[in-house]
Amino acid sequence: MNNENETITLDDENVYNKVLLDDLLLQNHIDEFRTEFLTMHTYEQSEYFEDSEDEIRQRIFEVLSPEEVANFFDQLEIDEEEYEALFDTMNASYASHVLEDMSYDNAVDIMNNLSKQKIVSLLTLMNKDDAKEIKALLHYEEDTAGGIMTTEYISLKATMPVKEALMHVKEQAPDAETIYVIFAVNDDKQLVGVLSLRDLIIAENDAYIEDIMSERVISANVADDQEDVAQKMRDYDFIAMPVVDYQDHLLGIITIDDILDVIDEEASEDYSRLAGVSDVDATNDSVTKTALKRLPWLIILTFLGMITATILGSFEDTLSQVALLAAFIPIISGMSGNSGTQSLAVSVRNISTGEIDEQSKFKVALRETGSGFLSGLVCAAILLMIIIVLYQQPILGLIVASSLTIAMTVGTLVGSMIPLVMNKLNIDPAVASGPFITTINDIVSMLIYFGLATSFMSYLL
Amino acid sequence: MNNENETITLDDENVYNKVLLDDLLLQNHIDEFRTEFLTMHTYEQSEYFEDSEDEIRQRIFEVLSPEEVANFFDQLEIDEEEYEALFDTMNASYASHVLEDMSYDNAVDIMNNLSKQKIVSLLTLMNKDDAKEIKALLHYEEDTAGGIMTTEYISLKATMPVKEALMHVKEQAPDAETIYVIFAVNDDKQLVGVLSLRDLIIAENDAYIEDIMSERVISANVADDQEDVAQKMRDYDFIAMPVVDYQDHLLGIITIDDILDVIDEEASEDYSRLAGVSDVDATNDSVTKTALKRLPWLIILTFLGMITATILGSFEDTLSQVALLAAFIPIISGMSGNSGTQSLAVSVRNISTGEIDEQSKFKVALRETGSGFLSGLVCAAILLMIIIVLYQQPILGLIVASSLTIAMTVGTLVGSMIPLVMNKLNIDPAVASGPFITTINDIVSMLIYFGLATSFMSYLL
């Protein structure tokens, strides 16, 4: 397998053979297993590990060195709750070796899911240098720049000659998270410049770092939100970004692979919020767990729905006199809900991409409302004609049509403004989920509809 | 400004001073403008350009060389329709120079928005080599691997000694899109291996490329969907991926910055679809344009809503006898719509991340339905109690509660299955947008509710 060229294209669904690997492992063909497994890409190794049962995972820990396991643990993605049990199946010294051989940032990500007690015992078993670095990183909040950075970067004195710098890079290459972006510091370890390995390679041999570095360094503060960091790195097309404290001391770097995860997380968060689910990506949950996760929301919505029902109940007289009014409840509440969700989506997206400034966000919200009014008018005109043709009731048609226009205008206003206002008040905009907006719009649109209908009751009879 | 160290953190909202730049330009302080502008990062340059009016843009073309403009045009993001007008403001020879100095993939992205005639005239003015490369890239579909790849990569013969390879990289560094991933080819230009610049740097001087390259190359076919490429690159943590034809000939590379754009696009697409808007990111549209974009959908929904209204109209007798039934229309249709949207979100996400296989997707859909039934039961029990307490009508309560349970179960089934079935039938799942599912669920839930109510009418009177 190893001697011939093998180009793997995207169409090859299974780039590894799980059955073969399992067999080799269970039938004790350790050498063959190792050869087969270690020629796989670390991502494939991690996929194989994720797909394997405990028995296989146990065997893997028996036949691979901590370093070999660390290589693919860097890409491991299992449920957060599973880590404690997984690390219980390794003996403590092996586990601590695995963690110290991983990238610090990834080791920290995993350790954040372990119990305090476990963390302490693992740190004690690590070599002192690694333990110190990991301990420091464990202190940062998970969703800040500090929480996703690693300390395995290459930094050089700004006064170093290029020739010496290249030697340095070569030496540090095996351990650094990236060697393609190099940071220049002064004697106080303050960040003063940045250069790419490309700059270094094409530089004249007698130049110094400070001659070729860029002094306009875009950096993140260690406490910055990971979302802001992701946005900046995407804007600037960075493959690595330095993280500093308030005195510009270089503390670590964030690399593009971590940013991909952040972008994914954030997109998934916005998306889940719009749908009113807590986590759209939890595909392994059981029926009960899925139901339990959604229930709090659905129960709140049931109570909110009861408000709508109570309002409608208070119009029982109106309804019993003109029962046909009920027929248009779904269309009015539905259209108001739909246009509200559309505007909500635009607003939330504008907040989270941060691409436009505060003032423009409100301008967009106003534009949404205007567009809600315009579309409302058009849909209302269509509805009016249909009602006249089907039921020959022009007054009913006018009431339904005006209600629809007002409900859609208010719907878009609610949908676009609520997240903006919440964001401004620093309230978690998670409350402004799609179903919540829809239910609010139900209440508002029913009040409008039956308010109008009751006022013009005499014309309807 | 240039001599002192300047660390820019994320909090600095405006890293450039638009007023100052505008003034320098309009008052003809060309040298100062150039110094100020050219020390800015290309991303900031592109932001400044995007924020500027035509008059300023015109001046920029007068004081910057095509190469200087090309540098920040690589990061330019304006509306697709604007490019034709923008290129009309440059003289043709200047425009063609800008394009040939850009990365080929970015030049092609821009040219895809120009008229055929304009493209031909620009290609004629370019130098032959660049024109040939760009022409070749223009042939690929925009959302395939070919459409986002560039041909400015570094490839070396597998038989080359490491020492010679390093010289080669150094030579090609200024023009290559990335020098950090290097591709090894055989005499037929077929891709046979891949190595990182890091591998090359830490290799023994007397080694050959084929000794240190990895022969397990993960590549994309030129016709592969850009989404699949993005997924693979994210999985494998690649910063560049080779693109080949069916005979493994290396055609180009895709770099991580292009992938970030693709991921963004795709997430935005799923999100927009859930909200039922065509493009959530078009923040510059006018009120009328926004309304016009949304109207086709809203009109379809109006007609679908009329189906619900007609169904309810046919139950006019039932409604006029028990007007209170109308009070629970919004809660039943709303909850069924909400749970449908939640399941829709999960299904669409599972389709688009491609992380689970076909069979699991249907398993997830079944789990969704089960969870819809469970949550329906709980919400129904709550609703039943409220109705008994508020209205002392246990029969009405039972009818509403059973309708809610059935409607939520069917709602989740519809929400999770429709996108899967559409995907299987190769129908564009855009039709399965949030509002569409909600409206379908309106119809279904009202049929259930009034079906039940009419059947048990005698107990209600």
Side-chain angles (χ1 to χ4, degrees), chain B residues 23-58:
Chain B
D23 277 353
L24 291 176
L25 207 50
L26 296 175
Q27 285 161 24
N28 251 335
H29 301 298
I30 306 306
D31 285 344
E32 285 102 317
F33 173 82
R34 286 179 49 86
T35 314
E36 200 63 41
F37 186 82
L38 295 174
T39 52
M40 283 159 53
H41 189 281
T42 49
Y43 165 69
E44 294 153 18
Q45 295 176 352
S46 74
E47 284 284 289
Y48 171 65
F49 186 86
E50 287 165 23
D51 290 345
S52 294
E53 301 300 313
D54 285 347
E55 188 193 355
I56 299 284
R57 291 182 178 183
Q58 194 57 53

Side-chain angles (χ1 to χ4, degrees), chain A residues 2 5-11 15 39-41 43-44 75 170 173 176-180 191-192 196-198 201-202 215-219 224 229 232 234-238 241 248 256-257 260 263-264 268 270-271 274-277 280-283 285 287 290-291 294-295 298-299 301-303 305-306 308-310 312-313 316 319-320 323 326-331 335 338 342 345-346 348-350 367-368 370-371 375 378-379 382-383 386 390-391 435, chain B residues 2 5-11 15 39-41 43-44 75 170 173 176-180 191-192 196-198 201-202 215-219 224 229 232 234-238 241 248 256-257 260 263-264 268 270-271 274-277 280-283 285 287 290-291 294-295 298-299 301-303 305-306 308-310 312-313 316 319-320 323 326-327 329-331 335 338 342 345-346 348-350 367-368 370-371 375 378-379 382-383 386 390-391 435:
Chain A
N2 212 8
N5 290 317
E6 192 185 3
T7 319
I8 297 154
T9 57
L10 294 187
D11 305 329
V15 279
T39 51
M40 282 158 54
H41 189 281
Y43 165 69
E44 295 153 17
Q75 280 171 290
K170 195 170 166 171
E177 179 97 2
T178 181
I179 62 166
Y180 306 134
L191 182 64
V192 295
S196 67
L197 180 56
R198 188 196 298 235
I201 283 181
I202 61 180
E215 283 162 352
R216 294 189 94 236
V217 191
I218 316 275
S219 65
D224 279 337
V229 179
K232 250 349 175 230
R234 182 162 39 170
D235 284 345
Y236 282 89
D237 280 350
F238 284 160
M241 186 166 196
D248 280 344
I256 189 75
D257 54 313
L260 281 173
I263 292 175
D264 214 34
S268 186
D270 284 350
Y271 187 76
L274 189 63
V277 284
V280 89
D281 282 341
T283 44
D285 289 351
V287 171
T290 309
R294 308 240 175 105
L295 260 178
L298 290 171
I299 290 174
L301 293 175
T302 307
F303 280 99
M306 270 312 296
T308 322
T310 313
L312 285 179
E316 201 178 345
L319 274 163
S320 62
F328 301 97
I329 293 177
I331 195 170
M335 293 298 280
N338 286 339
Q342 293 178 333
V346 173
V348 168
R349 188 78 187 169
N350 280 341
R367 186 203 57 192
E368 286 293 320
S371 117
S375 344
V378 177
C379 295
I382 294 172
L383 204 54
I386 299 180
L390 283 187
Y391 301 96
Chain B
N2 213 9
N5 290 316
E6 192 184 5
T7 320
I8 298 154
T9 57
L10 294 187
D11 306 328
V15 280
T39 52
M40 283 159 53
H41 189 281
Y43 165 69
E44 294 153 18
Q75 280 170 291
K170 195 170 165 170
E177 178 99 2
T178 181
I179 62 165
Y180 306 133
L191 181 64
V192 295
S196 67
L197 180 56
R198 189 196 297 238
I201 282 181
I202 61 179
E215 284 162 350
R216 295 189 91 238
V217 191
I218 316 275
S219 64
D224 279 337
V229 179
K232 245 359 171 227
R234 179 160 43 169
D235 284 345
Y236 282 90
D237 281 349
F238 285 160
M241 188 166 195
D248 281 341
I256 189 75
D257 54 310
L260 281 173
I263 292 175
D264 215 34
S268 185
D270 283 351
Y271 188 77
L274 189 63
V277 283
V280 90
D281 282 341
T283 45
D285 289 351
V287 172
T290 309
R294 308 240 175 105
L295 260 179
L298 290 171
I299 290 174
L301 292 174
T302 307
F303 280 100
M306 270 312 297
T308 323
T310 312
L312 285 178
E316 201 178 347
L319 273 163
S320 63
I329 292 177
I331 195 170
M335 294 297 280
N338 287 338
Q342 293 179 332
V346 173
V348 168
R349 189 79 187 168
N350 280 339
R367 188 204 56 192
E368 285 294 319
S371 117
S375 347
V378 177
C379 295
I382 294 173
L383 203 56
I386 300 180
L390 283 187
Y391 300 97

Side-chain angles (χ1 to χ4, degrees), chain B residues 56-186:
Chain B
I56 299 284
R57 291 182 178 183
Q58 194 57 53
R59 283 295 288 150
I60 291 177
F61 294 143
E62 286 162 14
V63 303
L64 294 181
S65 73
E67 204 190 332
E68 286 158 351
V69 169
N71 283 337
F72 72 84
F73 263 38
D74 271 326
Q75 280 170 291
L76 193 65
E77 277 182 22
I78 59 175
D79 281 351
E80 293 181 1
E81 310 97 67
E82 285 185 53
Y83 282 105
E84 184 83 23
L86 179 64
F87 274 77
D88 280 340
T89 64
M90 293 179 246
N91 79 51
S93 135
Y94 187 90
S96 68
H97 276 309
V98 168
L99 288 168
E100 71 185 22
D101 283 338
M102 290 176 64
S103 283
Y104 291 146
D105 53 344
N106 298 325
V108 167
D109 282 348
I110 287 186
M111 290 173 76
N112 272 323
N113 301 309
L114 303 178
S115 64
K116 276 253 161 69
Q117 195 190 346
K118 188 106 197 158
I119 294 176
V120 173
S121 76
L122 286 169
L123 283 172
T124 330
L125 289 163
M126 284 183 200
N127 91 46
K128 280 215 180 92
D129 288 345
D130 291 327
K132 196 179 145 205
E133 298 279 355
I134 288 176
K135 222 177 194 163
L137 287 175
L138 276 168
H139 282 129
Y140 298 107
E141 290 289 329
E142 271 191 75
D143 54 358
T144 62
I148 56 172
M149 74 183 184
T150 185
T151 50
E152 294 140 307
Y153 54 84
I154 297 189
S155 71
L156 302 171
K157 289 269 174 67
T159 49
M160 190 182 273
V162 160
K163 221 173 167 170
E164 202 185 321
L166 272 171
M167 303 267 293
H168 237 90
V169 171
K170 195 170 165 170
E171 263 166 42
Q172 294 184 38
D175 289 323
E177 178 99 2
T178 181
I179 62 165
Y180 306 133
V181 186
I182 296 155
F183 302 97
V185 293
N186 63 17

Side-chain angles (χ1 to χ4, degrees), chain B residues 356-371:
Chain B
I356 59 174
D357 55 48
E358 206 54 32
Q359 214 189 342
S360 311
K361 280 176 205 155
F362 282 92
K363 244 167 58 193
V364 171
L366 280 181
R367 188 204 56 192
E368 285 294 319
T369 311
S371 117

